[in-house]
Amino acid sequence: MTRRQFQTRCVLLCSVLVAGLSALSVRLIQIQVWNRKDMAGKSSRTFDSKEPLVGLRGTIVDRNEEVLAKSMPVASIVVDLQHLSDPLLVSFPLAYERVSGEPGWELLNPQEQKQRVLGMRGVILKESEDSPDALIEKGVAQAVSLLARPLGLKREEMYSKLREELANAKKRAVKLGLKKPGGEFCLVKERPADDIERVRELISKNWLEGFRLNESYKRWYPSELLATHIVGYTSEGKDTGEDGEEVFRPIGKYGIEAALEEYLAGSDGWQMQRRAPNGARIPGDTSTLKPPRAGLNVQLSLDMGIQSIVEEELDAGLAQWESKRGCIIVMDPKTGEILGMASRPHFNLNHLDKESLKEPCFATQAIYEPGSTIKMVPSSAALNERLVTPQTQFFCYNGHYQMGKITVPDHFPYGYLTVEGILQKSSNIGAYQLGMALGAPRYYDYLEKYGFGQKTGILLSGESRGIVPRSKNPLDFSRTTYGYALAVTPLQVATAYCAIASDGKLRKPHIVKSVIANDGTVVERYEPEVVREVIRPETAKSMRAALEKVVDPKGTAVQAKVPGYGTAGKTGTAVRIEKGRYQAGHYTVSFAGMCPAKDPAFVCVVVIDDPLTNKVTRYGGTIAAPVFSKVGARLAAHMNLTPDEPVEEKDKDKLAGTKEQ
């Protein structure tokens, strides 16, 4: 080889080395400078883990601050199969078990104890170099001996479960070509946090790896069968966190839980934990933290004492009259506040059943033809328009009115009746003549003024608006005056009767009083709201006097009388309609009443759908009115109302029983 050839080869070799080193330098500069943030992020994702911190959902309470819904801390035990099958991690608790039993262990400081554990861990790993599976088996057995009893599990069951999951994890790893098995499974789900505290201490004290506590909150309803349609429920759902990540948290699905989700829902936080490459926590490492934010609390207008009364009496009434559907609503007529509202069928808030959840809230979502409870509209409208006085008389055609295609029947052959008498005797013909005096357009206007055919605006989802067709057909118009050819909700009836029970003003049904922060600060207060004036105060007073006669011995609702108190109201009976056809022999019966009559403290509406009893003739006055009487007597005692009438001898025992309750 000539000298020139040798020099050429040296130059080429140096050029290759320089080019390679230059490329490596460029890559290092790219990583260190240009792609620094990206590579740092990948590095942190490898060694850091973001653990969610769940935000506490707000509490729901009644007007007296009795808790209706709250979030209870719970914890689940999650097993990390990668950690449980790693000899390097399983050796920690085995080493602790050995050294912690040595004399003088308790006298060592934490650093000295740590050194002892690490030293013994090295010994154990050396002893088990040829049998890592045996070491894992010992680790599983030790975990079972420590945790089975505190978790309320049988040792054999827990041991079998862990071995089965580990075996399945190994099979998956082989199938996927992975070096190590992985995956997680929940060993124990949503136990009360207090019960899990002992387990937390055992995991920490014994250096157990592979077992993790997932802390969260579970919605709990102390009165699981009361006010179910009002309080509502939550279910686990996917949401987007503040940082854009998808998170799973309880989300309101029904009732107040859904309607005030934006207030009740807190926001989750997170905690960054530094971990070693094998996934084990690095002890003593500082973690960054974003604390969770608790949700706000909601106070309802409900009085749970009243709620208990209406629930009990509704169940008793449905059982007595052989019905499965119905509702009772109690409202404060001066504010529009709902004090109690129960519907059937209902459900258990703590043990939700999919089939029972299909049933609507009868009070706000069921629509029905109201029958004679609607007669307060043509009578109050005619009085308000000064077309009649309470003593104006109408001829009721002895029980049968016929004019062309229009036929209006009565259940009794009445002759002349006053306006008060029309209500007292519940005459269809009399109600129709009051409607005729008004004229169809004006009558429909009053129906709408009272809120029929439109949502009341209550702060609950899924409310029905009912049906007021404003038909130009004279036959349809005639039937609307006595409660057919239109459909209403029980809540609309209660709201309309509140206008008569107060000053003639229609008030929006009021279910939420306020939204309150955890420090007691009122964030938002929901004040009573007047929608419109329907009738003058003096008309309302005249109507209360007229409706009081419905409950006297000559009226249709004598069984609605509340002993010791003036009582006013109106019965309703309508043939049930289903799938567009009337069902002969099947009825929806109701009573809308108020007490005391002269200055009502409450309005109560009772609706019993399709009673099948043969004990009595199925009318509002024989079925719904007695239920109202029982509810009214208990409400008067609960609200400490002063009696304004003498109690008849036959009613004294009933009143005494009410006071005992």
Side-chain angles (χ1 to χ4, degrees):
M1 180 187 298
T2 63
R3 183 180 180 85
R4 186 177 182 83
Q5 288 175 325
F6 177 75
Q7 289 176 338
T8 301
R9 289 185 177 184
C10 286
V11 169
L12 288 173
L13 180 60
C14 288
S15 298
V16 171
L17 288 173
V18 169
L21 291 172
S22 298
L24 183 60
S25 299
V26 169
R27 179 59 180 156
L28 286 173
I29 292 171
Q30 184 183 24
I31 292 173
Q32 296 266 348
V33 181
W34 298 334
N35 295 342
R36 180 181 176 186
K37 290 185 178 180
D38 182 55
M39 299 307 292
K42 290 180 180 179
S43 174
S44 67
R45 285 195 293 273
T46 303
F47 297 100
D48 293 348
S49 68
K50 181 186 282 189
E51 298 184 359
L53 300 174
V54 181
L56 182 67
R57 189 174 178 85
T59 300
I60 301 174
V61 300
D62 80 339
R63 66 189 306 115
N64 301 312
E65 299 187 2
E66 181 176 339
V67 174
L68 307 182
K70 66 183 296 186
S71 292
M72 302 287 288
V74 294
S76 301
I77 304 296
V78 177
V79 179
D80 188 321
L81 296 171
Q82 181 181 347
H83 290 184
L84 198 60
S85 61
D86 188 341
L88 295 175
L89 296 179
V90 170
S91 58
F92 276 113
L94 294 172
Y96 174 80
E97 184 180 36
R98 284 194 193 181
V99 299
S100 62
E102 295 176 351
W105 169 258
E106 299 296 337
L107 301 176
L108 300 176
N109 62 43
Q111 188 60 33
E112 291 171 334
Q113 289 181 346
K114 180 180 177 181
Q115 292 301 321
R116 286 278 186 94
V117 172
L118 293 176
M120 182 57 68
R121 176 174 173 264
V123 173
I124 291 173
L125 288 172
K126 190 171 183 180
E127 292 173 352
S128 306
E129 282 180 341
D130 298 329
S131 56
D133 289 343
L135 182 62
I136 292 171
E137 194 74 17
K138 287 181 182 179
V140 171
Q142 184 195 28
V144 170
S145 67
L146 288 170
L147 300 181
R149 186 173 180 181
L151 289 174
L153 301 174
K154 293 182 179 179
R155 290 192 177 193
E156 298 79 9
E157 291 179 0
M158 181 176 172
Y159 185 68
S160 299
K161 181 66 174 174
L162 292 176
R163 291 195 65 188
E164 179 186 352
E165 292 291 342
L166 282 170
N168 292 336
K170 287 179 180 179
K171 290 178 183 178
R172 287 195 300 269
V174 171
K175 187 176 181 180
L176 297 173
L178 303 175
K179 293 182 179 179
K180 294 182 179 180
E184 295 181 341
F185 77 95
C186 185
L187 180 64
V188 171
K189 188 176 182 181
E190 293 185 346
R191 291 285 180 85
D194 292 344
D195 296 349
I196 297 293
E197 194 59 38
R198 171 65 177 154
V199 177
R200 185 200 308 278
E201 294 173 2
L202 289 171
I203 291 174
S204 176
K205 178 182 177 181
N206 292 278
W207 292 54
L208 279 175
E209 288 287 351
F211 295 87
R212 185 178 77 252
L213 270 70
N214 274 2
E215 296 183 78
S216 60
Y217 294 96
K218 183 178 181 180
R219 207 63 169 160
W220 180 63
Y221 303 91
S223 303
E224 59 190 10
L225 292 173
L226 298 185
T228 56
H229 291 97
I230 296 175
V231 176
Y233 52 85
T234 65
S235 67
E236 200 76 11
K238 187 168 25 176
D239 196 8
T240 303
E242 293 180 4
D243 56 1
E245 293 185 0
E246 287 187 345
V247 294
F248 286 87
R249 61 161 65 99
I251 296 175
K253 295 296 183 181
Y254 190 73
I256 291 297
E257 292 276 30
L260 295 184
E261 169 69 16
E262 62 177 314
Y263 293 113
L264 289 165
S267 62
D268 294 343
W270 46 262
Q271 184 174 19
M272 296 299 298
Q273 291 282 0
R274 179 58 57 89
R275 292 180 178 272
N278 61 5
R281 284 195 184 94
I282 298 175
D285 181 69
T286 57
S287 304
T288 55
L289 172 72
K290 179 185 177 183
R293 177 181 61 79
L296 300 173
N297 305 314
V298 173
Q299 184 176 36
L300 304 182
S301 63
L302 289 182
D303 180 322
M304 288 308 286
I306 292 176
Q307 186 68 28
S308 297
I309 291 171
V310 299
E311 301 263 5
E312 291 168 13
E313 295 300 340
L314 178 59
D315 284 335
L318 292 176
Q320 181 180 6
W321 306 120
E322 300 176 36
S323 172
K324 295 181 180 179
R325 293 178 298 277
C327 73
I328 298 178
I329 303 171
V330 176
M331 293 179 67
D332 181 341
K334 296 177 177 62
T335 63
E337 289 182 328
I338 293 177
L339 304 176
M341 184 166 75
S343 293
R344 295 292 183 274
H346 69 154
F347 43 85
N348 187 309
L349 290 170
N350 287 326
H351 305 283
L352 296 175
D353 171 45
K354 289 184 179 179
E355 287 302 314
S356 63
L357 295 182
K358 294 178 182 178
E359 295 289 347
C361 172
F362 197 96
T364 63
Q365 295 175 305
I367 59 174
Y368 66 104
E369 291 183 317
S372 296
T373 53
I374 207 69
K375 289 173 183 172
M376 62 85 177
V377 176
S379 53
S380 64
L383 286 169
N384 199 59
E385 295 292 328
R386 296 187 173 92
L387 301 174
V388 297
T389 71
Q391 302 308 317
T392 301
Q393 291 190 334
F394 288 87
F395 181 58
C396 294
Y397 293 86
N398 297 313
H400 184 79
Y401 175 89
Q402 179 79 48
M403 183 64 69
K405 294 183 179 180
I406 298 174
T407 301
V408 182
D410 260 341
H411 61 278
F412 190 86
Y414 297 116
Y416 282 95
L417 290 175
T418 64
V419 173
E420 286 183 344
I422 289 170
L423 290 170
Q424 183 184 43
K425 301 298 184 181
S426 197
S427 168
N428 294 341
I429 296 172
Y432 172 59
Q433 291 193 80
L434 288 169
M436 286 290 287
L438 284 162
R442 192 157 45 173
Y443 173 65
Y444 286 131
D445 286 344
Y446 269 93
L447 280 173
E448 292 183 2
K449 284 181 181 180
Y450 272 112
F452 296 110
Q454 54 201 284
K455 294 182 180 181
T456 66
I458 189 173
L459 207 55
L460 292 173
S461 57
E463 183 189 8
S464 300
R465 65 173 62 248
I467 303 170
V468 176
R470 289 190 82 103
S471 172
K472 294 182 179 180
N473 185 322
L475 178 60
D476 288 341
F477 164 68
S478 70
R479 300 179 77 235
T480 62
T481 60
Y482 53 93
Y484 285 89
L486 78 166
V488 303
T489 68
L491 183 59
Q492 288 174 338
V493 175
T495 305
Y497 271 80
C498 279
I500 291 172
S502 57
D503 53 4
K505 292 182 174 66
L506 186 75
R507 288 174 171 82
K508 182 178 178 180
H510 195 47
I511 191 67
V512 179
K513 287 184 73 71
S514 56
V515 176
I516 307 169
N518 287 306
D519 62 359
T521 303
V522 176
V523 176
E524 186 164 353
R525 194 182 303 277
Y526 292 81
E527 300 292 346
E529 182 180 338
V530 173
V531 179
R532 68 181 71 89
E533 181 175 273
V534 183
I535 54 178
R536 298 187 307 278
E538 55 269 28
T539 304
K541 184 178 180 181
S542 296
M543 282 297 298
R544 291 195 294 273
L547 292 172
E548 195 170 3
K549 294 184 182 299
V550 177
V551 185
D552 73 19
K554 295 182 179 179
T556 60
V558 64
Q559 295 187 64
K561 180 68 177 174
V562 177
Y565 302 89
T567 310
K570 186 70 193 76
T571 54
T573 306
V575 180
R576 288 186 86 246
I577 186 169
E578 191 166 321
K579 297 181 180 178
R581 292 188 176 184
Y582 286 103
Q583 298 178 298
H586 296 267
Y587 305 92
T588 300
V589 298
S590 58
F591 182 81
M594 57 199 72
C595 184
K598 291 180 173 55
D599 185 19
F602 64 85
V603 163
C604 176
V605 170
V606 178
V607 182
I608 306 293
D609 186 46
D610 198 18
L612 300 177
T613 181
N614 291 317
K615 299 173 185 176
V616 297
T617 305
R618 282 167 273 173
Y619 290 138
T622 57
I623 291 178
V627 176
F628 172 89
S629 177
K630 293 175 182 177
V631 173
R634 294 182 66 181
L635 289 179
H638 178 83
M639 300 170 76
N640 293 316
L641 300 181
T642 303
D644 58 3
E645 289 184 355
V647 180
E648 295 183 21
E649 195 65 33
K650 64 184 178 65
D651 292 324
K652 286 184 178 179
D653 291 340
K654 183 196 294 187
L655 195 59
T658 300
K659 289 180 178 177
E660 287 174 8
Q661 292 177 3

